[in-house]
Amino acid sequence: MERLQKIIAQSGFCSRRKAEEYIQKGLVTVNGQKVTQLGLKFNYDDQIMIDGHCLENKEEKEYYLLYKPRGVVTTVSDEFNRPKVVDFIPTKTRIYPVGRLDYDTTGLLLLTNDGELTNILTHPSNKIEKIYTAKVKGIISSEEFMKIKKGLKIDNRLVKVTYLKIKKIDKVKETTTISIGIMEGRNHIVKRLFKSLNHEVLKLKRETLAFLNLQGLKSGEYRSLSIKEVKKLYALK
Ligand code: URA
């Protein structure tokens, strides 16, 4: 179930704000019933009509896996005119990123116009593992390693760590490179986790999302997902 204006916007028909306008003006019906109240939730396969247009004429779904470079924003528009993740994918379809990576974070990012799949992949109840490589300031001690592994609380909520491995310790530069797997998508969560132990994250890269990885791609490159991969992502629900 999802809010009606979100289903409409995610179908590519119009923006969410415009969808709200259509709803409030009484131009939207769901399964033949007029809906004028904002915030009501429906299913993606409900029959939605907007001003005589059937939302069944949905755009073809597109699915891309991008190796996001550093210095790129994970949005579809940016007020400061910085490079955006959508600039890397030449499509006329209104695609958007699934979740977000920080401006200075690199690595695996999915982009699609499939709202239903986006919801599956970003909903906290569907535990989707993401593995990151983080280069942090300072040497991570074995006590700190165990603390992270057992689970630290950020904003009073435990960050469950599914995978943790030290990859490199640079004693001269005093940095640690560590792989960390987590099943959540709170903003800046990896940086905040290490910050809570006084280790600033200097570099961060998302290596995997569920069974997907960056194999075969260089920074800035992308590929389409196969139907098999899309089905496998749906099955994570
Ligand atoms: N955690 C972060 O701190 N930043 C990201 O970009 C992704 C996860």
Side-chain angles (χ1 to χ4, degrees):
M1 302 280 276
E2 189 47 83
R3 274 173 310 169
L4 184 55
Q5 60 266 40
K6 195 166 170 190
I7 298 179
I8 296 170
Q10 286 182 338
S11 78
F13 184 86
C14 60
S15 68
R16 198 184 300 198
R17 187 168 299 172
K18 199 87 198 143
E20 288 173 356
E21 269 177 50
Y22 284 128
I23 294 167
Q24 285 172 317
K25 281 182 184 162
L27 296 172
V28 180
T29 62
V30 181
N31 303 326
Q33 299 278 329
K34 193 189 281 186
V35 177
T36 51
Q37 194 184 328
L38 287 181
L40 296 181
K41 291 187 171 181
F42 296 93
N43 282 312
Y44 282 86
D45 51 8
D46 280 324
Q47 174 68 245
I48 299 167
M49 300 272 293
I50 306 157
D51 202 13
H53 297 278
C54 185
L55 219 62
E56 283 313 297
N57 299 327
K58 284 177 189 161
E59 288 175 300
E60 281 279 299
K61 297 291 178 247
E62 297 182 12
Y63 306 89
Y64 301 99
L65 189 164
L66 171 70
Y67 185 157
K68 177 193 172 296
R70 213 179 162 92
V72 176
V73 279
T74 308
T75 48
V76 287
S77 64
D78 182 52
E79 54 179 324
F80 304 112
N81 238 355
R82 293 173 295 182
K84 308 178 288 295
V85 287
V86 287
D87 300 340
F88 288 82
I89 298 165
T91 175
K92 290 205 165 62
T93 304
R94 187 204 283 259
I95 55 166
Y96 47 82
V98 178
R100 60 164 292 176
L101 291 178
D102 294 335
Y103 184 67
D104 57 352
T105 300
T106 63
L108 194 157
L109 184 73
L110 295 181
L111 295 106
T112 184
N113 57 341
D114 184 340
E116 190 171 0
L117 185 64
T118 302
N119 276 347
I120 291 172
L121 296 179
T122 52
H123 200 279
S125 66
N126 299 320
K127 305 214 172 301
I128 318 268
E129 187 189 44
K130 293 144 208 156
I131 297 180
Y132 295 86
T133 303
K135 185 177 177 183
V136 306
K137 222 174 186 171
I139 312 289
I140 302 234
S141 67
S142 42
E143 289 80 24
E144 288 171 328
F145 184 90
M146 288 318 293
K147 269 189 190 168
I148 300 169
K149 202 165 181 188
K150 270 173 68 185
L152 285 166
K153 276 191 174 170
I154 303 291
D155 288 345
N156 257 332
R157 194 141 54 85
L158 201 68
V159 182
K160 286 194 196 106
V161 172
T162 52
Y163 178 80
L164 196 65
K165 191 169 185 206
I166 304 267
K167 295 184 84 177
K168 189 178 167 190
I169 291 178
D170 189 328
K171 286 193 174 146
V172 179
K173 291 189 180 142
E174 295 212 357
T175 58
T176 308
T177 304
I178 186 165
S179 279
I180 181 166
I182 53 172
M183 292 224 185
E184 63 158 281
R186 277 186 278 166
N187 276 351
H188 317 303
I189 194 66
V190 176
K191 290 178 185 167
R192 287 157 71 195
L193 183 80
F194 286 108
K195 190 90 194 147
S196 73
L197 296 170
N198 283 322
H199 292 287
E200 186 193 343
V201 172
L202 303 170
K203 267 187 179 175
L204 187 61
K205 177 181 177 190
R206 180 148 79 191
E207 305 280 358
T208 69
L209 185 149
F211 56 89
L212 297 168
N213 60 42
L214 290 165
Q215 217 178 333
L217 294 179
K218 295 194 189 85
S219 177
E221 290 182 344
Y222 71 93
R223 69 172 178 88
S224 294
L225 295 187
S226 67
I227 294 168
K228 210 169 150 190
E229 287 173 324
V230 174
K231 281 191 177 155
K232 246 174 121 176
L233 287 175
Y234 263 96
L236 295 170
K237 189 173 175 176

